[in-house]
């Protein structure tokens, strides 16, 4: 008697009488869509890993991992704060520097032990190391503090030790932890020196930490691709549905950003420079040769904010408001006419000026969006146009790149299980059923559909001899052809009004909708 997995035994070659139980995995495969709320943000910070995408759920989480927001261009903390205010809760942060960043340090006991901040940046200058008498006899207690974070306490260190062994034990406790409940420090690293003198109780504060931001430009923001990815390219394979290079207003980067967005299935939110003019924006976009659904270009009408940390009113790019809103929306939705939080004014509205229809038409025709107040829905700040940079009217809405990427990358992730299997009628039925069930769930959820034929299935899935000829099958190919009808985003509401003393209304003839 034998229990085997399906496919592990050649059933045509069994000659010995026996019982064979073959375990068959479930034949129906179901597809769970990919996350569409992941927002990638590239920018500068005062703490944290450099060029290493880090998960952040909120601004408070960002503070712990990267320090407080700063009143300066390219600041990732500012982008996180306002993206979170508009609904973003699942972010990937990439910190960039100009290469001059340095970690704060302090030498305790001259040559006793050198303490160095775990990360570069000015946040490290707020770290203090306190040496005090330990709880156990003849021991030391080392406490590492950083405002806003729980203190790290290493107690009963170097008990009974003397001379240089004390410093070695202190360094070991900081780097490796002390006991089962106190792991290594997450704030500093330590290096023991050659001192043989006994420690002196007291507090030492780290100094010399720098952020490395003075010379940051679009070059660092875009970064480099390859084995050691930096900047934007560090976001590869992180699953970001939406991404932004904070305050990166250099037009020569737009085509690069769009190319990256196409390769990763990411909707790139780009911006023009503060105080731009419409004519210059239109000309610049044309010169940059950006015409793709993978990028959304925002007009350089930057936004005034009430900085919650520095207590000042300052300008930031419009990116984080829309990036956060888009990340929070379901992928079939558009940012058009959705209220945005945290904006005090824009450069345009701050002067009590409004966009004319001609202004808005020039931006819309060029594939450039703008945040302004009022919006069609009321007196609030929001996306006024809701378009990407494509000139194709059937794919230039916010919903097209997001929904298309959602469908494509969900199928890409789920359908790989069929590679390596035999192409049989049952396998085709399973694969076709998996795709159909996924699209059927989207239809039920109201993500796709045909409004004029609401009862008609808004998708088709073909996997048969019609699109898999023998010549293709013989080479190991299997083709699934999928067609999906998207729901339309209303961009123009046309209301026809016939009024007058001569107008006659026959109520009985009006058919309810």
């Amino acid at each position: 008697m034998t229990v085997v997995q399906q496919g592990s035994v050649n059933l045509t070659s069994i000659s010995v009488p026996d019982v064979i139980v073959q375990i068959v995995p479930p034949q129906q495969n179901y597809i769970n869509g990919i996350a569409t709320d992941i927002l990638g943000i590239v920018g500068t910070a005062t703490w944290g890993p450099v060029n290493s995408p880090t998960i952040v759920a909120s601004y408070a989480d960002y503070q712990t991992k990267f320090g407080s927001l700063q009143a300066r261009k390219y600041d990732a903390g500012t982008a996180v704060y306002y993206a979170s205010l508009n609904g973003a809760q699942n972010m990937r942060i990439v910190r960039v520097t100009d290469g001059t960043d340095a970690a704060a340090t302090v030498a305790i006991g001259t040559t006793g032990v050198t303490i160095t901040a775990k990360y570069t940046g000015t946040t490290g200058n707020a770290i203090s190391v306190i040496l005090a008498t330990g709880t156990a006899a003849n021991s030391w207690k080392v406490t590492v503090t950083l405002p806003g974070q729980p203190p790290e306490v290493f107690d009963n260190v170097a008990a009974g030790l003397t001379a240089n062994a004390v410093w070695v034990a202190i360094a070991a406790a900081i780097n490796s932890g002390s006991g089962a409940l106190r792991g290594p420090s997450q704030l500093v690293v330590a290096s023991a020196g050659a001192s043989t003198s006994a420690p002196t109780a007291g507090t030492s504060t780290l100094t010399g930490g720098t952020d490395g931001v003075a010379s940051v430009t679009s070059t660092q923001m875009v970064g480099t691709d390859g084995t050691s990815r930096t900047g934007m390219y560090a976001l590869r394979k992180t699953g970001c549905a939406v991404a932004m290079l904070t305050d990166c207003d250099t037009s020569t980067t737009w085509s690069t950003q769009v190319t990256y967005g196409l390769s990763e299935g990411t909707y790139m939110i780009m911006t023009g420079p503060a105080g731009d003019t419409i004519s210059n924006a239109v000309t610049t976009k044309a010169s940059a040769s950006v015409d793709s659904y993978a990028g959304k270009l925002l007009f350089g009408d930057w936004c005034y904010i009430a900085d919650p940390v520095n207590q000042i009113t300052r300008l930031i790019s419009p990116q984080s408001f829309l990036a956060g809103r888009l990340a929070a929306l379901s992928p079939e939705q558009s940012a058009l006419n959705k209220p945005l939080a945290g904006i005090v004014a824009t450069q345009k509205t701050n002067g009590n000026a409004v966009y004319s229809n001609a202004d808005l038409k020039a931006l819309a025709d060029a594939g450039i969006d703008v945040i302004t107040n009022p919006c069609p829905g009321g007196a609030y700040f929001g996306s006024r146009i809701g378009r990407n940079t494509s000139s194709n009217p059937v794919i230039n809405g916010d919903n097209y790149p997001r929904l298309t990427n959602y469908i494509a990358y969900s199928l890409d992730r789920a359908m790989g299980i069929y590679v390596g299997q035999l192409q049989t009628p049952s396998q085709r039925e399973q694969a076709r059923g998996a795709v159909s069930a996924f699209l059927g769930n989207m239809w039920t959820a109201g993500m796709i559909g045909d409004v004029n034929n609401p009862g008609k299935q808004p998708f088709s899935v073909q996997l048969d001899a019609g699109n898999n000829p023998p010549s293709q099958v013989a080479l190991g190919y299997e083709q699934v052809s999928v067609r999906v009808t998207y729901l339309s985003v209303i961009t123009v509401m046309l209301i026809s009004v016939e009024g007058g003393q001569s107008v006659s209304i026959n109520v009985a003839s009006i058919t309810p909708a």
Side-chain angles (χ1 to χ4, degrees):
M1 294 180 291
T2 306
V3 178
V4 300
Q5 300 297 314
Q6 183 183 38
S8 63
V9 173
N10 182 356
L11 300 179
T12 66
S13 65
I14 298 174
S15 58
V16 177
D18 204 349
V19 173
I20 299 177
V21 177
Q22 184 173 233
I23 297 177
V24 180
Q27 298 302 294
Q28 182 61 57
N29 175 39
Y30 289 104
I31 299 173
N32 191 26
I34 61 170
T36 59
D37 64 341
I38 303 178
L39 169 60
I41 296 177
V42 179
T44 61
T46 64
W47 183 249
V50 176
N51 293 314
S52 177
T54 304
I55 298 174
V56 166
S58 64
Y59 176 67
D61 191 19
Y62 174 89
Q63 281 185 298
T64 300
K65 296 173 180 176
F66 289 96
S68 295
L69 66 81
Q70 303 295 303
R72 62 191 180 200
K73 192 176 183 181
Y74 305 126
D75 181 56
T78 302
V80 168
Y81 184 90
Y82 287 96
S84 299
L85 206 60
N86 284 280
Q89 299 180 7
N90 189 4
M91 293 165 277
R92 304 293 182 271
I93 311 303
V94 174
R95 178 191 174 197
V96 298
T97 73
D98 61 11
T100 65
D101 51 311
T105 63
V106 67
I108 302 176
T110 309
T111 58
V113 66
T114 298
I115 307 296
T116 304
K118 184 175 181 179
Y119 301 114
T120 62
T122 53
T123 291
N125 297 332
I127 295 175
S128 294
V129 180
I130 305 168
L131 285 183
T133 301
T135 302
N138 299 317
S139 70
W140 289 93
K141 177 190 292 184
V142 183
T143 304
V144 182
T145 66
L146 176 63
Q149 297 199 30
E152 299 177 340
V153 180
F154 304 87
D155 200 2
N156 301 323
V157 177
L161 299 179
T162 60
N164 183 251
V166 175
W167 297 111
V168 172
I170 289 173
I174 292 173
N175 294 335
S176 303
S178 59
L181 301 179
R182 175 63 262 175
S185 172
Q186 299 302 304
L187 301 175
V188 298
V189 293
S191 176
S195 176
T196 57
S197 301
T200 301
T203 301
S204 301
T205 301
L206 279 64
T207 60
T210 58
D211 298 334
V213 300
S215 301
V216 167
T217 65
S218 61
T219 299
Q220 288 79 22
M221 298 294 284
V222 172
T224 57
D225 208 354
T227 54
S228 298
R229 297 181 178 124
T230 65
M232 172 183 71
Y233 293 106
L235 289 173
R236 279 205 188 278
K237 307 307 177 186
T238 57
C240 292
V242 182
M244 56 174 280
L245 310 187
T246 307
D247 300 337
C248 184
D249 53 10
T250 306
S251 63
T252 53
T253 69
W254 295 345
S255 61
T256 303
Q257 292 187 56
V258 164
T259 300
Y260 170 84
L262 288 171
S263 69
E264 289 292 310
T266 302
Y267 194 25
M268 301 301 297
I269 311 302
M270 307 177 294
T271 184
D276 203 0
T277 64
I278 292 176
S279 59
N280 182 68
V282 172
T283 300
T284 302
K285 179 181 180 290
S287 300
S289 299
V290 179
D291 189 329
S292 170
Y293 68 79
K296 182 181 185 70
L297 178 59
L298 300 175
F299 178 53
D301 185 3
W302 285 31
C303 302
Y304 286 99
I305 60 165
D307 188 317
V309 173
N310 301 287
Q311 302 299 307
I312 58 174
T313 299
R314 61 185 177 94
L315 273 178
I316 66 171
S317 81
Q319 295 165 284
S320 55
F321 305 99
L322 277 171
R325 194 74 172 97
L326 282 164
L329 289 170
S330 187
E332 78 281 3
Q333 299 292 330
S334 169
L336 175 63
N337 201 29
K338 305 296 191 301
L340 301 175
I343 302 175
V344 174
T346 66
Q347 290 176 291
K348 186 82 168 180
T349 63
N350 191 52
N352 294 319
V354 296
Y355 289 98
S356 67
N357 287 338
D359 291 335
L360 295 173
K361 185 178 187 305
L363 291 171
D365 289 346
I368 303 173
D369 204 348
V370 62
I371 291 176
T372 192
N373 183 355
C375 281
Y380 51 78
F381 289 98
S383 166
R384 189 63 181 80
I385 297 171
R387 293 184 182 175
N388 57 59
T389 63
S390 174
S391 59
N392 185 338
V394 298
I395 65 172
N396 68 359
D398 285 331
N399 61 321
Y400 179 81
R402 302 211 57 226
L403 188 55
T404 300
N405 288 335
Y406 171 69
I407 294 172
Y409 283 84
S410 293
L411 295 178
D412 176 67
R413 185 180 68 177
M415 299 301 285
I417 64 171
Y418 295 107
V419 175
Q421 292 188 19
L422 294 177
Q423 189 169 173
T424 64
S426 61
Q427 179 276 324
R428 284 184 175 181
E429 182 180 352
Q430 293 167 22
R432 184 170 53 247
V435 177
S436 296
F438 170 63
L439 297 173
N441 288 339
M442 291 182 64
W443 184 21
T444 301
M447 299 175 70
I448 58 176
D450 183 345
V451 68
N452 289 328
N453 297 284
K456 179 183 177 182
Q457 179 175 290
F459 62 87
S460 66
V461 181
Q462 182 182 11
L463 173 51
D464 53 29
N467 63 335
N468 286 273
S471 59
Q472 183 171 288
V473 172
L475 294 175
Y477 292 95
E478 181 174 75
Q479 181 171 324
V480 184
S481 301
V482 179
R483 304 186 73 210
V484 186
T485 301
Y486 294 1
L487 290 165
S488 170
V489 174
I490 300 170
T491 58
V492 177
M493 173 66 75
L494 179 61
I495 303 173
S496 299
V497 178
E498 180 185 356
Q501 297 179 132
S502 63
V503 175
S504 177
I505 308 297
N506 184 357
V507 177
S509 67
I510 299 177
T511 303

